[in-house]
Each structure stands twice: as structure tokens, then as C-alpha cells.
Amino acid sequence: MKKIIQDYTKEELGNIVKPSFRAKQIWNWVYHKYATSFEEMGNLPKALKAELDEGFTLTPLKMLTVQDSKDGSRKYLFGLHDGHTVEVVLLLMRDKEYHEDGSVKHQERYTVCISSQVGCKVGCAFCLTAKGGFMRDLTAGEIVSQLLMVKKHNNIEANRRLNIVYMGMGEPLDNLDAVVKAVKIFSDPDGMAIATHRQTISTSGLSSKIVKLGKMDLGINLAISLHAVDDKLREQLMPINKAYNIQSIIDAVKGFPINSRKRVMFEYLVIKDVNDSIDAAKKLLKLLDGIKAKVNLIYFNPYGGTEFKRPTDSDMKGFQEYLTKRGLHCTIRESKGLDISAACGQLREQEGGGES
Ligand code: SF4
């Protein structure tokens, strides 16, 4: 089987191709010009192109489906060489920037939500990816290629700033080595140059891995899927809580090096009559005391077969107001991609999986 060229850092590639400056040229073709064949790489000698073509692939993913949502998000299903599938969501946010001279600048920001595993071992009750079980880890190259494919498909310029969230299928900290390698490849100035502070690892809360990641001091952002404020409810929603309880997560986060301009994001999936009470908001406030935190309240997206319900707008606002009035940064996330079921794993289920 051919090796995936995106699996290699620039330095690793420089040890394979001689002379090593060729690695930078190849990177330019891959990450700036979105080349899909070695033949296109005009400034490489013919012999090297043939050698690369023999041993490597540039296209480890195949685009299977693209679904557009009315809110502008776009969801992709990609096929892997072994018949498995992963999904990626491109979100387009429109921001307004208010300047001192009174002018308002509109800007568009891309955020790409990528997958780190085929399936997931964590087994969250609200997640359709979990229902399909765990298949395998993705390699760094398979992770990197997701963004490359999306950029090429949307004609996004190579140097365009964008954000990456490791929030698609899988638990990124359960595939830590490949994810960390992908972070480094994404941030290489000769490649896509996506600064680590524009990358967010979202975890179900594997405390020991949060500590390990923190020690690497990559400058990356952290998002924690908290969803509940007491262990009993969290165990029900996220069985992983039996291994890593809420306090262990909070302790790990307190030791995590946070970029001075950033906050740790706590994701809180609000489920009607399950975790949307003011009592829960009070406990959340107490729990996050002393952490530079931001809470992201997410409307639960109901799907077929679940008994969980979407909260009302007024309960959601009441929950938010309680927190913000007491000084906690708290946003309500727009239900982007609701009409295409953009909660993780749902598209794949609709497509009938892809397991071979
Ligand atoms: S929500 Fe994320 S961590 Fe939980 S089972 Fe789904 S993919 Fe895994």
C-alpha cells in the first residue's frame, strides 16, 4: 500500500527525499497549490516524481457526499482506503467588527470541524457516532487531508486564516500522537500555517491525556464536553465519566497552559428537563470558579430514537443569563447545520456507515 504523503512532517519528508530542500517544494505543491498528482509538480525532477508516485499517495480520501445546510454550513463524507468513512463540517461564520471611527467591517470566518477516529470508544448517550462503535484511529495524514480537501473544494486560498476544531467523529485525545502530529503539520509556516491558537482540541475529558497534552505546551486551545455538573448525570450521558470524573477533569484543566488571550471552552449540551435548571447553572458556576473559562451552551439536536428533547429558547436564555450576570463568559451556540443533522456522526448513520 502506498504511504500517505500528508503523514509526514516537513522534516521527516526532508529525510526521505534528497536533497532535503525538495521537501519544502513538495509541501508547497501539496499545501499551497492543492496538487493531487506528483506529475503536476513542475519544479521536481522527473525521476523524483516517478519515485514519489511509486511509493506515496497524495489523495488518501475520496469525497463521497456533500450536503449544504441553509445556514451556510457544509457537511462532507469522505471515504478512506479501507472502505471506512469520516465526516467533516465546514462552518461559515459572519462577524461584525466595530471600529473606533464608527465604521463596521463585515468579515467571514471559516471553521472546519474535523474527525480524528473512525467511530469512537467513548460511548456518549447523545451521540450517533458512538452507536456505530469504534473502528480505528486515523493517521495524521488522514486528519490533515480532511482540511486540504475542504479547502480545495471551496477554493479557500492557501493563506486564508481559519479555525480548526477537533470536534468531529472520535475522541482526539484517544488518538493523541496522530492528532498532535496533525497539529504540528497544520501549523508549519511552510504549509497551511494555521497557528496553534487557532486550533481547538475538544475532549470528552480524558484527564490523564489533558495533563499529557498540557505538558507539551503547544499553545493549543482546549474544549471540554462537560454537559453535566454532577457525576451521576454525567455518567448517564457520558459513561467515560466513571473513569474520569468531573473533579479529575477540573483539576487537569487547572494545570493546563492556556494562551493568555484565550479561555478554556466548556461545552454544555442543554437537554430539556435533564440539565437545564437554575440549580444546574449554580453548580456549574461553582465548579468553574478559578478557571479562565467560557461556557458554550448548545441546543440539543434531537434525532430519531432519542428520548432527549431540545430545550425551550426561554429556558436556554434563563440559563445563560444566570451565568453571565455572575461574571461567567457564556454564549449560546447557533444550531448550525441543524437541517443536515450536523451533530457528530449523524450523516454517516444516514449514509448507512461505510464499514467493510
Ligand atoms: S460525542 Fe464525541 S466523544 Fe462522545 S461518543 Fe461521540 S464522538 Fe465520541
Side-chain angles (χ1 to χ4, degrees):
M1 207 185 81
K2 287 187 179 182
K3 293 173 183 149
I4 299 169
I5 202 105
Q6 295 88 349
D7 267 332
Y8 297 85
T9 62
K10 196 178 61 217
E11 289 68 30
E12 285 172 344
L13 200 58
N15 290 328
I16 297 171
V17 292
K18 296 288 169 222
S20 60
F21 71 84
R22 296 286 183 206
K24 202 168 162 183
Q25 290 177 328
I26 297 168
W27 265 49
N28 188 37
W29 282 102
V30 175
Y31 297 114
H32 295 174
K33 297 182 181 151
Y34 307 142
T36 51
S37 74
F38 293 106
E39 192 45 46
E40 291 166 57
M41 302 185 179
N43 53 355
L44 298 191
K46 230 176 165 181
L48 179 59
K49 285 197 273 190
E51 200 185 304
L52 288 168
D53 196 40
E54 185 93 343
F56 296 90
T57 175
L58 281 161
T59 51
L61 307 179
K62 201 170 145 208
M63 196 180 297
L64 299 179
T65 58
V66 185
Q67 274 184 283
D68 281 335
S69 167
K70 286 188 202 101
D71 63 19
S73 63
R74 181 168 273 185
K75 189 161 182 169
Y76 293 88
L77 189 71
F78 291 124
L80 303 164
H81 70 86
D82 53 6
H84 291 308
T85 55
V86 287
E87 58 180 40
V88 178
V89 182
L90 171 68
L91 302 165
L92 181 61
M93 322 270 190
R94 291 194 169 86
D95 288 342
K96 279 182 191 167
E97 230 176 59
Y98 297 93
H99 293 266
E100 281 174 11
D101 62 4
S103 64
V104 183
K105 199 175 144 202
H106 292 262
Q107 59 171 20
E108 292 186 335
R109 250 181 335 123
Y110 288 113
T111 297
V112 185
C113 174
I114 57 181
S115 294
S116 55
Q117 295 177 315
V118 182
C120 186
K121 294 178 200 158
V122 173
C124 302
F126 48 79
C127 171
L128 281 176
T129 295
K131 293 197 170 53
F134 173 74
M135 299 299 154
R136 72 167 171 90
D137 285 330
L138 295 182
T139 70
E142 287 169 332
I143 297 171
V144 168
S145 297
Q146 295 171 39
L147 180 58
L148 258 185
M149 296 275 284
V150 169
K151 284 182 81 174
K152 185 175 166 90
H153 186 247
N154 291 280
N155 297 318
I156 299 173
E157 317 87 87
N159 57 0
R160 171 78 183 247
R161 273 202 212 154
L162 50 79
N163 300 313
I164 299 171
V165 288
Y166 299 81
M167 214 179 257
M169 292 167 68
E171 162 54 67
L173 296 189
D174 190 38
N175 187 15
L176 188 63
D177 291 347
V179 167
V180 166
K181 195 170 189 188
V183 169
K184 289 179 180 166
I185 294 173
F186 281 135
S187 60
D188 190 303
D190 288 325
M192 290 194 247
I194 300 164
T196 52
H197 69 262
R198 296 197 168 274
Q199 302 186 47
T200 302
I201 289 188
S202 173
T203 174
S204 59
L206 311 187
S207 326
S208 54
K209 298 285 180 69
I210 294 173
V211 173
K212 200 170 169 191
L213 179 69
K215 283 188 183 146
M216 294 179 201
D217 203 6
L218 299 174
I220 198 157
N221 304 317
L222 194 62
I224 308 285
S225 300
L226 191 65
H227 306 321
V229 284
D230 63 79
D231 284 317
K232 208 165 148 231
L233 174 61
R234 196 164 188 272
E235 270 171 31
Q236 212 184 314
L237 296 171
M238 306 176 74
I240 190 87
N241 196 71
K242 288 185 190 123
Y244 304 100
N245 67 16
I246 295 176
Q247 196 53 52
S248 78
I249 298 170
I250 297 296
D251 291 345
V253 170
K254 282 186 174 161
F256 193 86
I258 303 157
N259 183 306
S260 57
R261 288 172 300 168
K262 300 283 177 177
R263 291 174 179 274
V264 176
M265 176 96 80
F266 286 85
E267 305 280 352
Y268 195 92
L269 187 63
V270 185
I271 307 172
K272 186 175 163 55
D273 300 332
V274 174
N275 63 358
D276 61 348
S277 65
I278 290 300
D279 195 39
K282 263 185 208 166
K283 283 187 186 162
L284 184 58
L285 202 62
K286 202 166 159 215
L287 205 59
L288 302 186
D289 187 34
I291 297 179
K292 224 176 126 208
K294 179 181 167 187
V295 174
N296 206 359
L297 301 175
I298 310 159
Y299 280 99
F300 176 70
N301 270 351
Y303 52 82
T306 179
E307 80 244 31
F308 295 137
K309 294 191 184 76
R310 186 185 159 89
T312 61
D313 289 351
S314 68
D315 282 351
M316 194 76 158
K317 290 227 167 67
F319 198 95
Q320 183 196 28
E321 251 175 54
Y322 187 88
L323 297 175
T324 45
K325 275 190 182 152
R326 285 155 186 84
L328 188 60
H329 285 234
C330 180
T331 51
I332 294 177
R333 195 198 290 171
E334 292 296 329
S335 282
K336 282 237 168 220
L338 187 65
D339 62 320
I340 54 164
S341 306
C344 82
Q346 296 193 18
L347 178 71
R348 189 165 162 276
E349 290 292 318
Q350 285 165 12
E351 292 294 323
E355 287 84 8
S356 48

